[in-house]
């Protein structure tokens, strides 16, 4: 589904990603964890070219998206993304946020888009909020709308960048529950998270990024009980 | 009725003037008041048309300014520096007097004024709008990009509406400045409020009274606009 080969990213002189080679298979759920500043967000953002890699390749469905001339808009439609700070459109209602992509990018009719939108909103438990503006929602509700908005494009992969880090503790669960539901539906997912329990529970694989290196790439059972690298041990000691 | 009242109080003023030895007589201009007030329509039409065209052109220029295609940016920056770096009255004179010379079209004063002021106000508002665009959270852009939205559509639907909302107070201030500066068209003979005041002055050989009257009308217009803008701003802030 997604494969990176020797992916490198530098900001000026700062090497943020160093030769990351890995693969996310169809239907797989991959959790990306590691210390702050380790390059987790940058890695995720390279997968849909929100950051352009300095070197290396990113393949999506066997297409190298780093080659010039690739229709990145088309590829992004197939990769939903959820951000730490939600990034809902504040001047559009909840339903308009969700239907915007289908209407304007996929050119669905308004009626079809709204049917789809309401269906997704009910899946995240927010159909009664369809007509309100995002400023009226709690953080957890905002994030659930953001998930619905991404799903409205009917993507094959979902990328999450710390979807619960900006939330009050009591709202974390409602968002994680929606994500678990998504895992059950068989969605391919890449999730940057600090929720270790959640990562252990849902992920098929853990990617541990430290100082820009992929220090571990292992199933959760092995990673959490028997990490190979020194850095992972130290990290787990701190967070568990 | 109202005029009677004006006349009466103006007479009182005249008496006051005589009593204090000043040679003031507002009653002399009373018959000319309707003639002068007709200038309000001209001034307002002039301001509104110039503000709207200037706003539209300024928006286009602001998008040029943030373009990654450098020639567009250079053009917009150069354009702005020209209009900000020379006197407005000179720009007006050039357009009014040299259009007939260059293309043989005897441009009416009102048209020359609208063109000058639109071009000039676009230069100023393009800077304001550019600031407004840059102030929109970059997460908005990223959210639109991950939905696969094309750049022009993203600008139009997502970024500009939020930018305009941010800078509305500044845009109103620019319109107020435009309203006052519009009095410069009197120099090429457009029959605006200012020009009509001067005509009355020349006819009657009195200067203070008609000019003060005209000044009062400008003041009332500016204050009304300011008041409306403040109400509007407060309502918008409440809706956030
Ligand atoms: N646009 C940018 N320009 C310059 N430096 C950047 C940029 N984005 C990220 N960095 C730097 O790259 C490094 C890795 O950042 P990144 O956001 O990928 O880390 P992270 O693992 O997601 O951290 P966190 O857990 O704090 O979100 C950091 O040192 C950061 O300061
Ligand atoms: Mg991050």
């Amino acid at each position: 589904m997604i494969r990176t080969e020797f992916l490198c990213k530098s900001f000026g002189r700062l090497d943020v990603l160093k030769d990351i080679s890995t693969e996310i298979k169809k239907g797989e759920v991959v959790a990306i964890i590691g210390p702050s500043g380790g390059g987790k967000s940058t890695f995720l953002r390279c997968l849909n070219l929100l950051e352009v890699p300095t070197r290396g390749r990113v393949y999506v469905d066997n297409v190298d998206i780093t080659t010039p001339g690739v229709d990145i808009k088309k590829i992004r439609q197939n990769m939903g993304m959820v951000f730490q700070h939600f990034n809902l459109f504040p001047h559009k209602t909840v339903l308009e946020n969700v239907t915007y992509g289908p209407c304007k990018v996929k050119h669905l009719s308004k009626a079809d888009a709204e049917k789809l939108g309401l269906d997704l909103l009910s899946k995240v438990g927010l159909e009664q909020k369809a007509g309100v503006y995002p400023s009226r929602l709690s953080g957890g509700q905002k994030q659930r709308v953001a998930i619905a908005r991404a799903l409205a494009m009917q993507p094959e992969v979902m990328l999450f960048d710390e979807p619960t880090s900006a939330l009050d503790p009591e709202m974390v669960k409602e968002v994680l529950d929606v994500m678990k539901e998504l895992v059950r539906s068989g969605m391919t997912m890449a999730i940057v998270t600090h929720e270790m329990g959640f990562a252990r529970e849902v992920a098929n694989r853990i990617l541990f990024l430290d100082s820009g290196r992929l220090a571990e790439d292992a199933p959760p059972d092995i990673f959490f009980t028997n990490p190979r690298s020194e850095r992972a041990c130290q990290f787990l000691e701190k967070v568990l | 009725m109202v005029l009677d009242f004006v006349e009466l109080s103006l007479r009182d003023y005249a008496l006051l003037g005589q009593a204090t030895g000043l040679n003031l007589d507002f009653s002399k201009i009373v018959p000319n008041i309707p003639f002068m007030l007709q200038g309000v329509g001209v001034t307002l039409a002039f301001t509104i048309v110039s503000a709207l065209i200037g706003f539209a052109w300024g928006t286009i220029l602001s998008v040029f300014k943030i373009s990654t295609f450098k020639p567009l940016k250079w053009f917009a920056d150069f354009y702005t520096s020209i209009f900000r770096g020379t006197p407005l009255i000179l720009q007006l004179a050039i357009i009014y007097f040299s259009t007939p010379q260059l293309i043989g079209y005897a441009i009416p004063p009102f048209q020359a004024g609208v063109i000058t002021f639109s071009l000039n106000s676009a230069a100023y508002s393009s800077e304001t709008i550019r600031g407004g665009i840059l102030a929109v959270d970059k997460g908005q852009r990223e959210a639109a990009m991950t939905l696969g939205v094309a750049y022009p559509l993203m600008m139009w639907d997502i970024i500009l509406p939020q930018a305009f909302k941010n800078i509305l107070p500044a845009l109103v201030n620019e319109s107020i400045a435009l309203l006052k500066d519009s009095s410069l068209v009197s120099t090429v003979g457009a029959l605006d409020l200012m020009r009509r005041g001067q005509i009355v002055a020349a006819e009657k050989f009195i200067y203070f009274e008609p000019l003060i009257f005209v000044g009062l009308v400008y003041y009332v217009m500016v204050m009304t606009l300011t008041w409306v803008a403040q109400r509007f701003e407060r309502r918008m802030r409440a809706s956030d």
Side-chain angles (χ1 to χ4, degrees):
Chain A
M1 181 84 235
I2 303 177
R3 196 169 81 246
T4 65
E5 283 176 2
F6 306 104
L7 178 62
C8 296
K9 174 70 184 175
S10 314
F11 292 108
R13 282 220 212 100
L14 182 68
D15 297 329
V16 176
L17 294 179
K18 299 163 191 161
D19 290 329
I20 311 280
S21 299
T22 189
E23 187 174 5
I24 300 169
K25 297 201 183 68
K26 196 162 176 54
E28 221 177 6
V29 177
V30 172
I32 301 156
I33 64 179
S36 185
K40 304 180 296 293
S41 300
T42 307
F43 173 70
L44 198 72
R45 292 158 58 82
C46 280
L47 299 184
N48 62 0
L49 249 52
L50 279 187
E51 301 289 357
V52 180
T54 315
R55 263 181 301 123
R57 314 216 164 279
V58 179
Y59 295 91
V60 176
D61 287 332
N62 291 318
V63 176
D64 180 1
I65 62 171
T66 60
T67 47
V70 163
D71 185 0
I72 188 65
K73 287 198 290 289
K74 201 86 200 159
I75 286 159
R76 284 193 185 125
Q77 288 174 35
N78 217 6
M79 307 174 82
M81 189 164 199
V82 174
F83 303 87
Q84 182 173 358
H85 295 288
F86 330 123
N87 299 347
L88 293 178
F89 304 134
H91 58 301
K92 295 187 178 290
T93 64
V94 163
L95 184 60
E96 285 165 357
N97 264 277
V98 178
T99 57
Y100 182 77
C103 277
K104 292 297 180 82
V105 179
K106 286 195 159 174
H107 305 293
L108 254 62
S109 73
K110 193 158 181 279
D112 286 348
E114 286 187 351
K115 190 165 161 296
L116 172 72
L118 287 170
D119 187 42
L120 284 166
L121 283 176
S122 80
K123 280 210 177 103
V124 300
L126 287 170
E127 70 274 36
Q128 76 285 2
K129 297 284 185 190
V132 309
Y133 285 89
S135 57
R136 296 291 195 79
L137 301 179
S138 72
Q141 292 172 330
K142 283 182 191 163
Q143 196 60 299
R144 286 186 280 152
V145 173
I147 293 173
R149 177 177 68 180
L151 290 175
M153 295 301 287
Q154 296 173 315
E156 282 185 56
V157 197
M158 286 283 284
L159 310 175
F160 293 83
D161 191 359
E162 299 197 32
T164 58
S165 292
L167 300 180
D168 292 335
E170 72 269 22
M171 292 169 188
V172 169
K173 185 174 177 298
E174 64 189 56
V175 171
L176 293 185
D177 284 345
V178 168
M179 291 171 66
K180 282 180 195 167
E181 196 52 51
L182 210 52
V183 171
R184 265 194 288 277
S185 76
M187 176 66 79
T188 310
M189 293 159 78
I191 309 165
V192 175
T193 184
H194 289 297
E195 300 284 335
M196 293 306 145
F198 175 73
R200 188 166 189 171
E201 182 185 337
V202 304
N204 305 114
R205 259 168 60 223
I206 307 283
L207 304 185
F208 178 71
L209 276 182
D210 178 59
S211 313
R213 285 187 202 288
L214 183 57
E216 303 253 354
D217 182 345
D221 285 339
I222 294 176
F223 176 78
F224 283 105
T225 52
N226 245 328
R228 282 177 308 156
S229 65
E230 185 75 11
R231 294 288 294 143
C233 293
Q234 289 167 355
F235 176 76
L236 286 174
E237 247 165 56
K238 254 186 269 166
V239 297
L240 288 182
Chain B
M1 242 305 276
V2 177
L3 278 185
D4 280 355
F5 172 74
V6 171
E7 197 163 354
L8 226 140
S9 49
L10 287 177
R11 283 233 177 81
D12 291 346
Y13 249 107
L15 288 175
L16 185 80
Q18 278 158 16
T20 53
L22 284 171
N23 189 16
L24 282 182
D25 188 356
F26 277 93
S27 64
K28 276 193 196 155
I29 63 161
V30 169
N32 305 91
I33 284 179
F35 171 75
M36 288 192 283
L37 283 181
Q38 278 166 27
V40 170
V42 179
T43 291
L44 279 182
F46 184 81
T47 305
I48 292 168
V49 174
S50 305
L52 288 179
I53 300 177
F55 176 64
W57 177 220
T59 303
I60 296 172
L61 286 171
S62 71
V63 173
F64 285 3
K65 283 182 181 176
I66 58 165
S67 165
T68 48
F69 183 61
K70 290 293 170 205
L72 282 183
K73 181 176 151 42
W74 292 332
F75 165 76
D77 285 344
F78 181 64
Y79 177 97
T80 304
S81 78
I82 294 290
F83 278 91
R84 296 220 292 195
T86 57
L88 181 51
I89 194 164
L90 172 80
Q91 296 160 17
L92 178 63
I94 288 176
I95 289 181
Y96 180 66
F97 294 112
S98 55
T99 304
Q101 183 196 333
L102 293 179
I103 60 170
Y105 171 59
I107 191 168
F110 188 86
Q111 251 177 47
V114 165
I115 292 174
T116 312
F117 281 68
S118 302
L119 295 180
N120 182 279
S121 119
Y124 283 89
S125 50
S126 70
E127 277 298 294
T128 313
I129 299 167
R130 189 184 74 98
I133 292 174
L134 295 182
V136 174
D137 181 27
K138 80 178 194 338
Q140 293 291 308
R141 209 187 132 170
E142 293 180 350
M145 280 164 77
T146 55
L147 292 173
V149 181
Y151 183 83
L153 199 62
M154 171 187 83
M155 268 307 184
W156 185 252
D157 282 344
I158 307 296
I159 307 295
L160 285 176
Q162 295 182 58
F164 292 153
K165 191 175 167 187
N166 292 342
I167 59 168
L168 197 70
L171 288 177
V172 170
N173 283 337
E174 268 163 41
S175 308
I176 290 173
L178 192 60
L179 174 70
K180 289 183 287 180
D181 288 344
S182 75
S183 59
L184 286 176
V185 282
S186 62
T187 60
V188 295
L191 279 173
D192 73 327
L193 187 56
M194 176 74 194
R195 176 89 182 138
R196 284 166 192 259
Q198 289 170 330
I199 289 173
V200 171
E203 255 173 29
K204 301 262 161 120
F205 297 110
I206 51 170
Y207 292 91
F208 187 73
E209 292 88 342
L211 292 182
I212 284 295
F213 176 76
V214 162
L216 190 72
V217 177
Y218 275 112
Y219 183 74
V220 169
M221 287 196 289
V222 168
M223 285 303 130
T224 312
L225 199 58
T226 310
W227 181 77
V228 170
Q230 276 169 355
R231 295 267 324 232
F232 199 64
E233 207 189 322
R234 222 170 294 149
R235 259 229 331 255
M236 291 229 310
R237 205 168 289 150
S239 81
D240 275 344

